[in-house]
Amino acid sequence: MAHFHRAEIGRMAGWRARIDMTTNWAVTVVAGMLSVSLSTPNAHHGVLLFAMLLVLLLLSIEARRYRFFDFYRTRVRLLERNYYAQVFAPRADAEAEWAWRIGTDLREPRFLISRKTAMTRRLRRNYFPMFMVLLAAWVLKISSSRLLQEEVPIDPAKPVPGIIQNLSLGPIPGWIVLAAVLAFYAWLALLTFAPRDLSGELGHGDVHV
């Protein structure tokens, strides 16, 4: 049991390290794109839109890695909660079928959470603040004449038409770009602030990823 427990912790730690690596990539992308976009008016606002897509891609990759991590963490916690905890502090309310659950997982490994749930948890932990930083930088970029080059000057009396005109990306009109960004952030907000799911290991204690 001790060797099995140590092996499962190794698997869990390996996937946890991969999660941290993806988050580090996302932070690097955000910092690099902010530096490129806001340091000079020569940079197009589309750089920040591209950064949003890159961070979304990294979020998708991390959600997949998180599903693997959650699978191995659940197995480790089943051992710790129902075997080792019973050795040190026996209780009568231990789970009766914990060994059967581990055996079933060993025979037919299956993900325990959906991709949507994994994305929600990673958004709450790390990614939603990154997306908000990119959104704030994008709004600053499109609304400041000092950060725009060869764009239509924004009339202080009628700023909205000028801003929308400057949002265009090649043949794509500015209003379509604005609608796409608003829809994207509405989707992110729905994912992030969905009802909290405390199933699985999140229902046992406060120390979790």
Side-chain angles (χ1 to χ4, degrees):
M1 291 295 288
H3 290 301
F4 179 63
H5 179 247
R6 183 163 56 247
E8 292 302 308
I9 285 183
R11 288 179 172 179
M12 181 187 71
W15 285 104
R16 183 67 182 89
R18 294 185 182 187
I19 291 174
D20 289 339
M21 185 182 302
T22 316
T23 302
N24 291 339
W25 292 345
V27 171
T28 302
V29 167
V30 171
M33 293 300 188
L34 288 179
S35 177
V36 169
S37 178
L38 300 181
S39 62
T40 172
N42 295 329
H44 195 269
H45 73 90
V47 171
L48 292 171
L49 299 179
F50 181 63
M52 295 175 190
L53 292 178
L54 282 180
V55 175
L56 178 63
L57 173 62
L58 291 171
L59 170 62
S60 178
I61 294 172
E62 184 163 321
R64 179 178 180 274
R65 294 179 173 183
Y66 183 85
R67 295 177 77 191
F68 280 98
F69 165 77
D70 179 76
F71 176 80
Y72 291 113
R73 174 185 59 183
T74 299
R75 188 181 293 175
V76 168
R77 289 293 297 128
L78 279 173
L79 279 170
E80 292 177 345
R81 191 168 60 250
N82 297 286
Y83 181 78
Y84 290 103
Q86 288 295 95
V87 172
F88 295 111
R91 290 172 53 176
D93 58 349
E95 299 174 42
E97 298 183 348
W98 66 271
W100 180 86
R101 288 180 58 188
I102 292 178
T104 301
D105 286 341
L106 289 172
R107 288 190 178 93
E108 297 181 3
R110 297 181 184 277
F111 288 124
L112 303 177
I113 60 174
S114 65
R115 193 179 190 87
K116 177 182 176 182
T117 301
M119 291 183 70
T120 295
R121 292 181 183 178
R122 300 321 295 159
L123 277 166
R124 285 175 175 167
R125 285 290 179 179
N126 294 321
Y127 279 81
F128 192 71
M130 294 188 213
F131 279 114
M132 294 307 296
V133 168
L134 288 174
L135 178 62
W138 183 69
V139 171
L140 177 63
K141 180 74 175 179
I142 64 177
S143 61
S144 175
S145 299
R146 295 182 179 181
L147 295 176
L148 296 173
Q149 183 187 41
E150 298 179 356
E151 302 287 356
V152 178
I154 299 175
D155 184 2
K158 298 180 179 180
V160 175
I163 291 176
I164 292 179
Q165 186 173 353
N166 290 336
L167 289 180
S168 61
L169 290 172
I172 305 176
W175 67 270
I176 293 182
V177 175
L178 179 61
V181 171
L182 292 177
F184 174 67
Y185 273 86
W187 174 71
L188 287 179
L190 286 175
L191 274 182
T192 304
F193 301 106
R196 192 172 180 83
D197 179 16
L198 295 178
S199 62
E201 290 307 312
L202 298 192
H204 302 278
D206 298 325
V207 182
H208 55 80
V209 178

